[in-house]
Amino acid sequence: MATLLLALAVVSTGLYAGFFVIFQTGIMPALARLSDDQFVPAMARINEKVPRGTFMLAFLGSVGFPVAALFVPVDGRTETDRWLVIAALVCAIVGHLITSAGNVPLNNALASAERSGRAPARETRAAFEPRWNAFHLVRTLFALAAFVLLVCAATP
């Protein structure tokens, strides 16, 4: 059971980190090329669709599976492996806090601004994009660190 939980931790965290890397290296650079009037609704539609199904499984799994793996006794797990899982969990939690306190409020503000139509798209984008990208880069790095740490813990 412990091996399965650690494998699920590696897979969910890898999917989560991979999603963020694709966003960092492909989606956001592509959206950056859009006009303000195109960017705001495009990002709002992405933000509506992302927090569902597979993303939520990876999001929750990147914390839940490492926690579960820590509480299942394992013969042969070294103290170093245990600390690697703990370090990965800390990275995942910090990334989730950045998402919850940084990216999600910006996503909500973007959606609100788009719905109200009161602010010009240029102002809405300027208030959103640089801050969102900065938060996203940091949470991507934490997700990648969590993934690497879990891979190290799972490697004999």
Side-chain angles (χ1 to χ4, degrees):
M1 182 59 118
T3 302
L4 174 62
L5 289 170
L6 190 54
L8 289 170
V10 169
V11 169
S12 62
T13 304
L15 288 170
Y16 187 62
F19 176 80
F20 281 171
V21 168
I22 294 301
F23 236 90
Q24 184 69 36
T25 62
I27 295 171
M28 291 313 289
L31 291 176
R33 300 183 71 186
L34 298 178
S35 71
D36 298 334
D37 289 332
Q38 295 169 320
F39 176 89
V40 171
M43 193 68 194
R45 297 301 78 74
I46 290 169
N47 290 335
E48 290 170 2
K49 295 295 182 186
V50 166
R52 295 176 184 204
T54 304
F55 176 82
M56 290 308 294
L57 182 61
F59 179 80
L60 297 173
S62 68
V63 170
F65 289 126
V67 166
L70 283 173
F71 288 102
V72 173
V74 179
D75 289 336
R77 180 182 289 161
T78 68
E79 192 63 18
T80 300
D81 295 337
R82 182 171 142 47
W83 282 108
L84 288 168
V85 174
I86 290 169
L89 182 57
V90 168
C91 287
I93 290 169
V94 169
H96 281 43
L97 291 172
I98 292 167
T99 297
S100 298
N103 296 89
V104 170
L106 288 170
N107 292 346
N108 294 340
L110 180 81
S112 177
E114 187 209 17
R115 276 192 305 274
S116 74
R118 284 181 259 166
R122 184 181 71 226
E123 289 177 20
T124 300
R125 182 179 190 171
F128 174 86
E129 189 176 23
R131 292 175 58 212
W132 193 94
N133 284 336
F135 285 129
H136 182 69
L137 174 60
V138 175
R139 71 181 178 167
T140 298
L141 294 173
F142 275 105
L144 283 170
F147 175 64
V148 169
L149 290 163
L150 287 170
V151 168
C152 290
T155 304

